[in-house]
């Protein structure tokens, strides 16, 4: 094992610390230590990075053995991720171009009128012509519209799913969260603005997925049991999200 940064050995052996990196047999993993965990766990993040989740006072030797025992699982997940690499579209944001909101198609319409740069009116996404004239500005304006409109929609969906899982409603925001659909940290859920191009039942899945982390960290058996009780269709919707999500527009705008 090389490339790891460890604290000084203790009587019980070298212990892992939160935030360090660990390299085992060619794989580099970020370490996350949680006082609530009793078992070790592995996750492959959306960006392909590997995360090892461990309880407090976990020794390096135990972690190394766990990683090697699960080498086949890691390699299989990485191969699957490679096969599911996103096929992200680049949009021109041209007058008449089709965009999706909650799974429905809306045509973009350039307009000359005061108000917000982008609005949904009578089934058309109306974009101010001044914003549309600059591709980068047009992309930001449309992403901001998804964020504002998506937040209002998500706020109405949060409480029912929180009630099913018997958790307190966390704060919610919509913004760019990189390669993830959503995150949960310290009582706050953040959803990616691009999520709201998906059909509403998949947005519900993302919301419920993050809410389950209020009670259970990581993606171990306890996590999936909780999510499945609240959302029996979660396995099918996860597969649908993996497939459909590859083709969601993430903000890339073509130069004109």
């Amino acid at each position: 094992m090389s490339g790891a940064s460890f604290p000084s050995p203790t009587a019980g052996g070298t212990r892992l610390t939160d935030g360090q990196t660990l390299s085992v047999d060619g794989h580099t993993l970020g370490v996350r230590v949680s006082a609530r965990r009793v078992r070790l766990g592995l996750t492959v993040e959306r960006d392909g990075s590997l995360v090892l989740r461990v309880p407090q006072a976990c020794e390096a030797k135990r972690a190394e053995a766990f990683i090697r025992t699960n080498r086949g699982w890691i390699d299989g997940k990485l191969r699957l991720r490679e096969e599911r690499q996103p096929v992200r579209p680049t949009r021109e944001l041209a007058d008449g171009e089709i965009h999706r909101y909650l799974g429905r198609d809306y045509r973009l319409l350039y307009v000359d009128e005061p108000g917000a740069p982008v609005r949904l009116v009578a089934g058309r996404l109306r974009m101010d012509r001044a914003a549309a004239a600059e591709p980068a500005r047009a992309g930001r304006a449309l992403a901001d519209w998804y964020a504002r409109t998506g937040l209002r929609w998500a706020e109405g969906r949060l409480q029912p799913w929180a009630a099913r899982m018997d958790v307190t409603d966390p704060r919610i925001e919509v913004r760019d969260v990189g390669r993830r659909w959503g995150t949960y940290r310290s009582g706050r859920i953040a959803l990616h603005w691009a999520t709201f191009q998906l059909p509403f039942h998949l947005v519900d899945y993302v919301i419920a997925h993050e809410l389950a982390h209020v009670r259970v960290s990581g993606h171990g058996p306890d996590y999936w049991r909780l999510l499945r009780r609240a959302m029996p269709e979660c396995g099918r919707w996860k597969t649908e999200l993996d497939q459909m999500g590859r083709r969601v527009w993430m903000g890339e705008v073509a130069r004109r």
Side-chain angles (χ1 to χ4, degrees), residues 10 32 38 70 77-78 100 107 119 137 172 193 201 205 209 214 226 233-234 238:
T10 66
R32 300 290 181 270
V38 294
N70 289 277
K77 287 292 185 181
L78 292 176
R100 286 190 168 186
R107 194 174 297 276
R119 291 180 293 172
R137 181 182 174 190
I172 189 168
W193 61 262
H201 66 278
Y205 169 77
H209 183 102
V214 176
L226 171 62
E233 311 91 337
C234 66
K238 179 182 184 302

Side-chain angles (χ1 to χ4, degrees), residues 6 35 37 43 47 65 97 125 191 214 218 221 246 251:
F6 298 130
R37 293 192 71 91
T43 57
D47 61 1
E97 188 177 69
L125 273 173
L191 304 178
V214 176
R246 299 175 64 221

Side-chain angles (χ1 to χ4, degrees), residues 27-31 42-45 48-52 73-74 78:
H27 288 307
T28 300
L29 304 92
V31 177
L42 287 164
T43 57
V44 180
E45 301 299 308
S49 62
L50 297 170
V51 175
L52 174 67
W73 182 91
I74 294 172
L78 292 176

Side-chain angles (χ1 to χ4, degrees), residues 28 34 37 86 93 108 129 139 146 178 187 207 209 236 240 242 254:
T28 300
S34 172
R37 293 192 71 91
L93 303 187
L108 195 64
R129 200 176 299 274
Y146 276 115
I207 291 172
H209 183 102
R236 178 161 53 89
E240 187 177 343
D242 289 342

Side-chain angles (χ1 to χ4, degrees), residues 2-245:
S2 62
S5 176
F6 298 130
S8 300
T10 66
T14 303
R15 294 180 176 179
L16 300 178
T17 58
D18 189 62
Q20 74 176 79
T21 58
L22 187 65
S23 293
V24 180
D25 295 345
H27 288 307
T28 300
L29 304 92
V31 177
R32 300 290 181 270
V33 178
S34 172
R36 301 195 302 180
R37 293 192 71 91
V38 294
R39 294 180 295 183
L40 283 72
L42 287 164
T43 57
V44 180
E45 301 299 308
R46 290 187 61 84
D47 61 1
S49 62
L50 297 170
V51 175
L52 174 67
R53 303 180 188 277
V54 303
Q56 286 184 328
C58 179
E59 296 182 7
K61 288 184 179 180
R62 180 187 175 192
E64 181 182 52
F66 176 78
I67 293 166
R68 288 186 168 137
T69 298
N70 289 277
R71 177 67 182 267
W73 182 91
I74 294 172
D75 291 342
K77 287 292 185 181
L78 292 176
R79 280 196 303 271
L80 185 61
R81 177 185 175 276
E82 192 67 26
E83 294 169 0
R84 293 179 175 176
Q85 278 296 301
V87 186
R88 302 295 188 200
T90 297
R91 310 307 300 269
E92 294 184 4
L93 303 187
D95 195 9
E97 188 177 69
I98 299 296
H99 291 265
R100 286 190 168 186
Y101 174 61
L102 295 178
R104 297 185 62 183
D105 291 343
Y106 295 94
R107 194 174 297 276
L108 195 64
L109 176 68
Y110 289 177
V111 295
D112 293 301
E113 59 188 31
V118 179
R119 291 180 293 172
L120 180 60
V121 179
R124 300 290 292 270
L125 273 173
R126 303 166 74 90
M127 178 177 285
D128 180 69
R129 200 176 299 274
E134 302 175 28
R137 181 182 174 190
R140 289 193 299 270
L142 190 53
D144 288 345
W145 177 82
Y146 276 115
R148 294 193 310 273
T149 309
L151 178 61
R152 289 195 296 271
W153 188 89
E155 286 175 335
R157 302 298 295 169
L158 191 66
Q159 193 280 329
W161 291 112
R164 289 191 187 191
M165 297 183 196
D166 194 25
V167 299
T168 303
D169 299 11
R171 295 180 61 185
I172 189 168
E173 59 187 16
V174 179
R175 55 182 175 84
D176 190 330
V177 294
R179 295 177 178 270
R180 300 182 179 209
W181 296 116
T183 65
Y184 172 77
R185 289 191 183 91
S186 304
R188 175 176 297 182
I189 284 177
L191 304 178
H192 200 300
W193 61 262
T195 303
F196 295 91
Q197 297 168 67
L198 297 164
F200 71 88
H201 66 278
L202 295 185
V203 184
D204 267 350
Y205 169 77
V206 174
I207 291 172
H209 183 102
E210 299 308 330
L211 275 170
H213 286 306
V214 176
R215 289 184 57 185
V216 184
S217 61
H219 296 92
D222 290 343
Y223 171 86
W224 290 108
R225 275 194 292 270
L226 171 62
L227 184 57
R228 196 172 294 112
R229 282 199 301 268
M231 180 180 280
E233 311 91 337
C234 66
R236 178 161 53 89
W237 289 354
K238 179 182 184 302
T239 299
E240 187 177 343
L241 177 61
D242 289 342
Q243 296 170 348
M244 187 176 294

